[in-house]
Amino acid sequence: MNPPYRRIAAAIRARIEAGELLPGERVPSTRALTREWGVAMATATKALDLLRQEGLVEAHPGAGTVVRTTGAKPRREPPPGQTLTRFRITTTAIRVADAEGLEAVSMRRLATELAVGPMSLYRHIAGKEELVHLMLRQVFRTRPLPDPPPRGWRERLNVVCRLQWALYRAHAWLPELISVTRPLLIPEAMLHTEWTMEALHGLRLTKEEQAREALTLPAFVRGLALSGAAEQAAVRASGMTTGQWWLEHEAEVQALFASGRFPRLATLTTGIPENLDALFEHALRRHLAGIEARLRE
């Protein structure tokens, strides 16, 4: 039976050979290995020493133990004029997230997309947390609020809600990161709240009502957008469209409706729940009409 340090080394070796850990990318530290494998620090150290002896990893000052870069197959150079910048990294991350979801964004994946070594990304961005922050700021900058703003509170609220909806529909991963209770301190997103509160300022509403409206409006837009995000994630995970999913469950649905327990639900017109844009239009009109009715009281 192989001793623990050899089993740990074999697992890391397999990740390197499979391309999961690329040249220049950090391997698990001794502390991480002790937590993951439940071994002593000495055992974890011995596993990394074995990989060093095999020439698979090397120590880099300030970076820890990384997959060996000396003698590794050189990466293709990026096209001329495409210098690695924070903007290029962030733009690439947004493109990957739009196509495959935020979970697909990693420093290793971006290094592959940008044809650079993984460690070179860390010269521009500290890690995924900072990267996500930059992604949010860049996305909100792509669709700024109009300046000057339209006249009238209703038109202003209409504009900001539609702008948020357009952002969420273009970037399905975005609503997962937005929160009412724990908002991210992103100036470009904070401007949306400021815009909303300015639109409500001066109306015959109490301060509490204004604050609630400033939070309720973006929450309803985000909540509906989360349904769209969940739908895209389900399509990626299952490989089935919504129409295909309903066909697969048609017999079960018909059996439930035939039971007589859901007479009203059985009358629901096919396609209405799937048309999120139409649901958004309906909800926005009714909400703004509700504010107008409150002002007439």
Side-chain angles (χ1 to χ4, degrees), residues 75-84 88 92 111-116:
R75 285 180 167 272
R76 58 188 178 89
E77 291 298 319
Q82 292 192 8
T83 306
L84 192 62
R88 266 194 77 211
T92 303
T112 301
E113 294 288 329
L114 293 164
V116 298

Side-chain angles (χ1 to χ4, degrees), residues 4-288:
Y5 81 92
R6 286 192 176 276
R7 293 201 299 273
I8 295 171
I12 298 175
R13 187 186 303 113
R15 294 178 64 188
I16 295 172
E17 291 173 351
E20 185 180 346
L21 290 170
L22 300 175
E25 191 165 11
R26 279 179 269 192
V27 301
S29 65
T30 52
R31 190 175 300 278
L33 292 174
T34 59
R35 289 196 301 267
E36 181 181 354
W37 291 81
V39 297
M41 187 71 75
T43 301
T45 301
K46 197 171 181 180
L48 293 182
D49 284 341
L50 178 59
L51 293 171
R52 288 192 194 95
Q53 293 169 21
E54 295 175 353
L56 291 175
V57 301
E58 58 191 8
H60 277 202
T65 303
V66 303
V67 179
R68 185 182 179 188
T69 55
T70 307
K73 183 179 179 180
R75 285 180 167 272
R76 58 188 178 89
E77 291 298 319
Q82 292 192 8
T83 306
L84 192 62
T85 62
R86 284 160 69 92
F87 179 79
R88 266 194 77 211
I89 296 170
T90 305
T91 300
T92 303
I94 292 170
R95 176 169 54 79
V96 172
D98 287 347
E100 303 174 38
L102 192 63
E103 65 277 5
V105 178
S106 67
M107 301 303 266
R108 180 171 68 86
R109 171 65 184 276
L110 295 181
T112 301
E113 294 288 329
L114 293 164
V116 298
M119 293 307 296
S120 63
L121 298 178
Y122 289 100
R123 300 192 194 104
H124 301 272
I125 296 175
K128 188 167 181 178
E129 184 176 349
E130 183 184 11
L131 175 63
V132 170
H133 185 89
L134 292 172
M135 290 168 67
L136 285 165
R137 296 198 68 176
Q138 189 162 313
V139 161
F140 273 94
R141 287 195 197 107
T142 61
R143 298 184 187 230
L145 290 159
D147 186 19
R151 294 182 178 181
W153 66 267
R154 183 162 186 155
E155 185 56 31
R156 287 193 68 160
L157 294 180
N158 187 62
V159 165
V160 71
C161 288
R162 291 183 182 280
L163 183 54
Q164 290 168 11
W165 182 248
L167 285 170
Y168 290 146
R169 295 297 269 169
H171 309 285
W173 50 271
L174 182 59
E176 301 174 30
L177 302 174
I178 303 300
S179 172
V180 172
T181 56
R182 298 188 181 187
L184 296 172
L185 300 181
I186 297 173
E188 292 81 359
M190 293 166 68
L191 282 173
H192 282 235
T193 306
E194 181 69 20
W195 171 290
T196 303
M197 295 186 73
E198 179 62 29
L200 296 166
H201 180 70
L203 298 184
R204 289 190 302 167
L205 300 172
T206 66
K207 292 293 184 183
E208 186 176 1
E209 285 178 313
Q210 290 180 28
R212 285 178 175 172
E213 285 297 344
L215 297 177
T216 301
L217 274 168
F220 118 70
V221 180
R222 173 181 175 267
L224 199 54
L226 281 171
S227 296
E231 172 63 19
Q232 288 193 24
V235 170
R236 287 196 300 269
S238 66
M240 291 191 297
T241 65
T242 300
Q244 292 169 334
W245 186 90
W246 278 108
L247 283 174
E248 185 169 291
H249 293 80
E250 184 175 11
E252 183 182 356
V253 171
Q254 292 303 323
L256 286 169
F257 287 168
S259 69
R261 295 172 58 197
F262 312 102
R264 302 292 176 236
L265 191 58
T267 65
L268 189 63
T269 304
T270 304
I272 287 181
E274 302 165 32
N275 193 342
L276 293 181
D277 292 308
L279 290 177
F280 167 77
E281 294 289 342
H282 172 86
L284 181 59
R285 284 197 305 269
R286 293 303 174 91
H287 195 107
L288 296 181

